[in-house]
């Protein structure tokens, strides 16, 4: 028998003890004693693509570049890498190892450690459902824009004409063609969240199409979604590289990259920057969703999950850097164009304001281009030099034209994808091609993350409820249908404000709380030494001892600090959202009304509620079970000694270097993380084999 160290404390033994053998049995035979016919990945490449596809999402393209832009460029990247190594990778490795070890979804994994922890998995499912609701709306927006890209010129390239006045539409003239198309044509948005408005029929149809795609891709579980991953995970990289090469040929590209990498080390003294970097690490890897656990649970038990953790984290970071390069190249080109238009407009005003004699003086002073017939040919640097010397005498109408100031106007999220990028692509030759390519990339980025999010919901439910497991197709279709119906909230005219609400508040705090409980469960309840023992049995080598201290202290304290900082920010800074004012054709910041604040609080409470409910239910069941056994005169230890961990000689490594168990160890009932008989798991027959020849996993 493989020796296991004793539980860390008497209290831990009391907390874990009751019901452990039942969850062990569930890990072996399924929740209701049924044979486990768990699917498996066709190949390691398929699994890695799935994990990368889930972790690399829209946030890598429109959130990470914005954070670099706002927080010191290269200095923020260094801070991000530091937090990724000491917090992100250890927690990611922990989730991968737990899922692969127990071969269950998020509910089953934490229930296996203790039934009192089952609520952690249900909270993960709730947050996944929140995210799936609004994430698919973003996919619907991408579908809408991709459909409108098949026309020339692009519909957001010029302002439309008002047929009643035969003039440019006022709202478009006051903003820009891309802003007008986004807020009025795509969203037909209201002025605030309190003005609900009717449903947007086009967006409702796009949302239905988005849920249909997700449903069809996942209808057969990982067997079908994994095949889609080959395209949806790889295609965005191809597009990013194409955009990078094309972007490097643009005027202003080098200025954008210089702005991106120029380090501002003073930002390291800001608590807000540390909070943003930690939050980005947290969400970039998809921690707490349960999707990482679900995907890894389909792996063979001896898969090198440590290498997977390092590889996926590295790919995720490099993707963020690649996306940032593309974004800054494009924003540099955009800023240069805006600055040159500013120069042309100012020179046009100067030609109107100045007299012929003054123009002659300007020529004598060495500024002949001031009176040039072609203002667009004037170099930006020459204009700025002239303005620095003579601008103060020109009055308020003549302004400075600074590329750096334009670059400082950071854009993120939908503003980056649907306004800034569309504006730039309209300037490209063959603009419909580039627009179609860009939104097809967004569509694939969103879908690959969406598959992982849905897997974080479906896998735990099928693992823990055998009825649902037997009706996988019906569960998948029903979940997607429910998601579409609830997603109608986001397709009304004020729907964009609810998307922002869900994005900002529905997942952040609940996920941090979930991962805090996950870390406590592994590091303090189960014990890091015991966890590392189980990983050693799986991998045939023991991970570095540094993980023990990272899990127990560094990760846990970092998560608690992140939770405290996020809570304090919410308390001292009333939640706000950005609204579009139709009359002024501009954005404005508004505070959420009282009912919206109540909705935010309700979303967070409902997501966190399963954790205490699961604990209380388990306590109640334990007391009922204890009373029953005492009435029957049965010791609670009688049946627990029947379930012990199989020898590592029979599992993975006949030459294990563990010491032989003592008599005291043999007499002690064991509480183990690695499921009984895990050596009997084997991959199911893969595609190309006759379905009739499929057998169960032998458990």
């Amino acid at each position: 028998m493989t020796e296991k160290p004793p539980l860390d404390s008497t209290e831990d033994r009391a907390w874990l003890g009751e019901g452990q053998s039942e969850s062990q049995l569930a890990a072996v035979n399924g929740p209701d004693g049924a044979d486990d016919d768990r699917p498996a990945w066709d190949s390691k490449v398929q699994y890695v693509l799935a994990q990368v596809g889930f972790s690399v999402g829209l946030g890598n393209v429109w959130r990470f570049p914005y954070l670099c832009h706002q927080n010191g460029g290269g200095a923020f990247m260094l801070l991000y890498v530091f937090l990724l190594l000491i917090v992100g990778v250890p927690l990611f490795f922990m989730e991968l190892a737990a899922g692969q070890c127990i071969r269950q979804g998020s509910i089953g994994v934490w229930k296996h450690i203790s039934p009192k922890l089952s609520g952690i998995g249900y909270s993960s499912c709730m947050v996944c459902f929140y995210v799936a609701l609004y994430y698919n709306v973003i996919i619907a927006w991408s579908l809408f824009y991709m459909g409108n890209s098949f026309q020339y010129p692009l519909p957001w390239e010029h302002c439309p004409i008002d047929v009643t006045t035969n003039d440019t539409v006022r709202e478009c003239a006051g903003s820009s063609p891309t802003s007008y198309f986004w807020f009025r044509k795509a969203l037909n948005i209201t002025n605030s969240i309190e003005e609900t408005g009717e449903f947007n029929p086009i967006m409702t149809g796009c949302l239905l199409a988005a849920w249909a795609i997700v449903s069809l891709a996942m209808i057969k579980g990982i067997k079908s979604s994994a095949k889609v991953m080959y395209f949806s995970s790889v295609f965005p990289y191809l597009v990013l590289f194409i955009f990078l090469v094309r972007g490097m040929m643009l005027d202003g590209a080098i200025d954008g990259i210089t702005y991106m990498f120029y380090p501002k080390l003073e930002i390291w003294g800001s608590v807000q920057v540390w909070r943003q970097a930690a939050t980005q690490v947290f969400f970039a890897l998809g921690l707490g969703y349960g999707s990482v656990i679900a995907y890894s649970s389909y792996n063979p038990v001896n898969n090198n999950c440590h290498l997977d953790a390092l590889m996926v984290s590295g790919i995720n970071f490099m993707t963020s850097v690649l996306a940032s390069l593309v974004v800054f190249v494009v924003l540099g080109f955009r800023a240069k164009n805006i600055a040159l238009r500013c120069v042309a407009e100012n020179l046009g005003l100067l030609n109107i304001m100045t007299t012929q004699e003054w123009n002659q003086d300007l020529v004598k002073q060495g500024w002949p281009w001031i009176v040039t017939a072609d203002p667009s040919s004037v170099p930006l640097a020459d204009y700025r030099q002239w303005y620095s010397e003579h601008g103060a005498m020109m009055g308020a109408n003549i302004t400075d034209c600074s590329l750096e100031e334009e670059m400082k106007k950071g854009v993120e999220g939908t503003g980056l994808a649907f306004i800034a990028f569309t504006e730039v692509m309209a300037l490209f030759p063959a603009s419909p091609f580039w627009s179609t390519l860009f939104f097809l990339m967004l569509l694939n980025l969103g879908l690959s993350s969406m598959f992982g999010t849905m897997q974080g919901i479906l896998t735990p439910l099928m693992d823990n409820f055998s009825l649902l497991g037997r009706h996988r197709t019906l569960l998948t279709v029903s979940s997607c249908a429910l998601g579409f119906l609830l997603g109608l909230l986001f397709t009304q005219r004020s729907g964009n404000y609810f998307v922002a609400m869900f994005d900002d508040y529905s997942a952040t705090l609940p996920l941090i709380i979930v991962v805090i409980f996950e870390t406590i469960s592994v590091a303090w309840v189960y014990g890091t030494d015991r966890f590392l023992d189980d990983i050693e049995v799986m991998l045939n080598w023991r991970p570095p001892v540094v993980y023990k201290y990272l899990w127990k202290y560094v990760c846990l304290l970092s998560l608690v600090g992140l939770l405290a900082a996020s809570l304090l920010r919410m308390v001292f800074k009333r939640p706000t959202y950005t609204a579009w004012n139709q009359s002024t054709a501009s954005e404005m910041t508004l505070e959420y009304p009282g009912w919206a604040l109540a909705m935010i609080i309700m979303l967070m409470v409902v997501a966190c509620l399963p954790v205490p409910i699961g604990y209380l239910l388990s306590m109640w069941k334990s007391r009922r079970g204890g009373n029953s056994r005492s009435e029957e005169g049965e010791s609670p230890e009688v049946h627990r000694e029947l379930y012990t961990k199989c020898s590592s000689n029979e599992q993975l490594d006949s030459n294990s270097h563990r010491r032989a168990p003592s008599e005291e160890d043999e007499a002690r009932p064991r509480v183990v993380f690695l499921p009984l008989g895990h050596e009997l798991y084997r991959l199911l027959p893969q595609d190309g084999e006759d379905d009739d020849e499929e057998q169960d996993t032998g458990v």
Side-chain angles (χ1 to χ4, degrees):
M1 307 295 291
T2 303
E3 184 268 337
K4 299 297 289 181
L7 287 167
D8 292 343
S9 67
T10 305
E11 181 181 357
D12 288 344
R13 283 196 297 271
W15 203 45
L16 283 169
E18 198 60 47
Q20 179 63 35
S21 59
E22 296 174 8
S23 51
Q24 274 187 336
L25 194 58
V28 178
N29 291 329
D32 296 317
D35 289 338
D36 186 1
D37 57 345
R38 194 169 196 78
W41 299 104
D42 289 344
S43 65
K44 181 66 175 281
V45 172
Q46 194 179 74
Y47 163 69
V48 171
L49 286 177
Q51 286 285 20
V52 169
F54 169 66
S55 64
V56 174
L58 296 172
N60 296 75
V61 175
W62 66 32
R63 181 64 180 165
F64 184 86
Y66 170 78
L67 292 175
C68 287
H69 182 276
Q70 295 294 98
N71 297 312
F76 179 83
M77 283 193 180
L78 292 175
L79 179 60
Y80 179 87
V81 171
F82 172 71
L83 292 175
L84 180 68
L85 291 176
I86 68 167
V87 178
V89 172
L91 291 175
F92 192 61
F93 176 41
M94 181 184 77
E95 289 199 356
L96 287 177
Q100 180 175 309
C101 198
I102 298 177
R103 296 175 64 83
Q104 292 276 303
S106 55
I107 298 173
V109 162
W110 307 115
K111 184 189 289 185
H112 184 80
I113 297 181
S114 170
K116 295 180 176 67
L117 302 175
S118 61
I120 297 176
Y122 287 103
S123 284
S124 293
C125 288
M126 282 299 303
V127 175
C128 278
F129 191 62
Y130 287 164
V131 173
L133 288 179
Y134 77 83
Y135 212 84
N136 229 20
V137 177
I138 300 174
I139 294 175
W141 293 341
S142 300
L143 282 172
F144 173 78
Y145 266 81
M146 190 173 72
N148 278 277
S149 297
F150 294 99
Q151 48 186 307
Y152 185 83
L154 293 171
W156 53 81
E157 195 166 332
H158 303 289
C159 284
I161 301 299
D162 189 339
V163 292
T164 57
T165 62
N166 202 27
D167 198 4
T168 302
V169 174
R170 181 181 174 185
E171 186 180 2
C172 184
S175 53
S176 69
T178 52
S179 296
Y180 175 79
F181 186 85
W182 166 242
F183 288 112
R184 190 56 49 214
K185 294 296 184 180
L187 302 179
N188 194 20
I189 200 167
T190 58
N191 288 331
S192 74
I193 197 172
E194 296 183 90
E195 302 174 25
T196 55
E198 65 277 4
F199 286 109
N200 185 329
I202 297 177
M203 281 304 169
T204 302
C206 290
L207 181 63
L208 179 61
W211 276 112
I213 293 171
V214 172
S215 178
L216 291 172
M218 300 196 64
I219 202 162
K220 292 185 178 179
I222 63 169
K223 293 291 184 183
S224 55
S225 63
K227 289 178 174 57
V228 181
M229 287 289 184
Y230 281 113
F231 179 78
S232 63
S233 296
V234 175
F235 180 74
Y237 289 96
L238 176 64
V239 176
L240 285 174
F241 276 112
I242 292 173
F243 266 96
L244 181 61
V245 172
R246 177 67 182 89
M248 291 300 295
M249 303 175 187
L250 300 173
D251 186 23
I254 301 301
D255 298 302
I257 293 178
T258 303
Y259 189 91
M260 168 187 167
F261 282 109
Y262 185 78
K264 301 173 185 175
L265 299 180
E266 63 273 11
I267 61 100
W268 286 357
S270 170
V271 176
Q272 177 73 356
V273 173
W274 282 79
R275 184 191 68 80
Q276 290 181 333
T279 304
Q280 181 61 21
V281 168
F282 188 83
F283 287 104
L285 295 176
L287 300 173
Y289 285 93
S291 306
V292 172
I293 293 175
Y295 276 156
S296 65
S297 71
Y298 297 117
N299 271 330
V301 75
N302 59 353
N303 173 66
N304 191 342
C305 53
H306 183 257
L307 178 62
D308 294 343
L310 296 174
M311 180 168 53
V312 174
S313 301
I315 293 173
N316 189 296
F317 171 67
M318 294 309 297
T319 305
S320 297
V321 174
L322 174 62
S324 297
L325 284 171
V326 173
V327 167
F328 276 86
V329 161
V330 169
L331 291 183
F333 170 67
R334 176 174 176 262
K336 189 71 173 283
N337 271 274
I338 292 174
L340 290 175
R341 283 203 303 268
C342 169
V343 170
E345 290 171 3
N346 284 335
L347 291 181
L349 288 173
L350 275 175
N351 285 331
I352 296 173
M353 294 166 51
T354 57
T355 63
Q356 186 173 359
E357 293 78 7
W358 197 70
N359 288 343
Q360 292 174 353
D361 290 339
L362 288 173
V363 173
K364 291 177 182 178
Q365 294 173 21
W367 310 105
W369 47 263
I370 292 288
V371 293
T372 183
D374 184 14
S376 62
S377 64
V378 176
L380 180 61
D382 288 352
Y383 174 83
R384 296 206 66 199
Q385 183 183 353
W386 171 84
Y387 184 84
S388 64
E389 296 179 13
H390 303 284
M393 300 182 298
M394 297 293 102
N397 289 333
I398 305 301
T399 60
D400 189 13
C401 299
S402 171
L403 185 146
E404 290 77 15
E405 289 301 317
E406 289 299 329
M407 286 296 298
K408 287 179 182 178
K409 298 175 183 178
V411 286
E412 64 168 328
T414 55
L416 175 64
F418 299 109
I419 297 177
F421 254 83
T422 53
E423 180 181 329
V424 171
M425 286 181 295
L427 301 175
F428 285 2
S431 54
F433 167 77
W434 295 103
S435 181
T436 303
L437 202 61
F438 176 73
F439 288 110
L440 187 58
M441 180 194 73
L442 285 190
L443 178 64
N444 281 276
L445 280 173
L447 284 174
S448 57
S449 294
M450 189 67 189
F451 296 152
T453 303
M454 290 299 293
Q455 206 70 54
I457 302 170
L458 301 176
T459 297
L461 293 178
M462 290 187 292
D463 285 343
N464 285 269
F465 301 98
S466 58
L467 179 63
L468 298 178
R470 289 194 297 269
H471 299 87
R472 179 193 304 271
T473 300
L474 181 60
L475 175 64
T476 302
V477 174
S478 300
S479 299
C480 292
L482 179 62
F484 167 71
L485 292 175
L486 294 178
L488 293 176
L489 170 70
F490 307 108
T491 63
Q492 55 182 335
R493 290 182 59 197
S494 59
N496 185 50
Y497 304 135
F498 288 98
V499 170
M501 175 197 291
F502 272 65
D503 187 34
D504 292 337
Y505 301 106
S506 70
T508 306
L509 289 180
L511 277 183
I512 296 173
I513 292 171
V514 163
V515 179
I516 287 175
F517 276 104
E518 288 181 359
T519 310
I520 291 173
S521 303
V522 170
W524 293 97
V525 175
Y526 184 70
T528 49
D529 288 325
R530 186 172 292 99
F531 188 44
L532 289 171
D533 286 345
D534 290 329
I535 296 175
E536 183 178 0
V537 172
M538 287 198 303
L539 306 185
N540 291 326
W541 62 275
R542 192 176 185 84
V545 72
V546 67
Y547 281 110
K548 171 180 177 179
Y549 301 101
L550 290 174
W551 286 328
K552 292 188 75 169
Y553 305 109
V554 177
C555 293
L556 188 56
L557 291 175
S558 300
L559 289 169
V560 171
L562 179 59
L563 177 63
S566 301
L567 283 172
L568 289 173
R569 184 171 180 270
M570 285 189 64
V571 170
F572 291 108
K573 184 182 178 183
R574 184 183 172 101
T576 59
Y577 67 101
T578 302
W580 176 258
N581 189 303
Q582 184 175 1
S583 58
T584 61
S586 61
E587 292 181 318
M588 55 185 181
T589 301
L590 300 177
E591 292 185 346
Y592 282 106
W595 63 266
L597 289 175
M599 185 176 177
I600 291 171
I601 295 171
M602 184 195 70
L603 288 171
M604 293 188 291
V605 169
V606 169
C608 297
L609 210 53
V611 176
I613 289 178
Y615 180 82
L616 294 174
L617 281 176
S618 181
M619 289 286 290
W620 178 67
K621 290 180 180 178
S622 296
R623 290 190 177 184
R624 284 190 61 190
N627 293 336
S628 304
R629 281 191 294 272
S630 61
E631 290 174 5
E632 297 170 6
E634 179 186 349
S635 168
E637 299 293 340
V638 170
H639 68 283
R640 295 180 65 242
E641 296 187 16
L642 297 176
Y643 305 107
T644 54
K645 184 173 174 180
C646 293
S647 169
S648 59
N649 293 336
E650 299 172 357
Q651 294 174 21
L652 299 173
D653 184 8
S654 59
N655 298 317
S656 174
H657 296 292
R658 298 176 181 273
R659 66 175 175 82
S662 64
E663 293 182 3
E664 180 184 353
D665 294 329
E666 293 288 355
R668 181 187 299 116
R670 284 174 174 74
V671 181
V672 298
F673 197 56
L674 198 64
L676 172 66
H678 75 281
E679 76 283 1
L680 297 177
Y681 285 105
R682 63 175 178 273
L683 297 182
L684 291 176
Q686 305 303 327
D687 292 344
E689 299 182 26
D690 189 350
D691 291 339
D692 295 335
E693 294 178 4
E694 287 194 9
Q695 303 174 14
D696 66 8
T697 53
V699 178

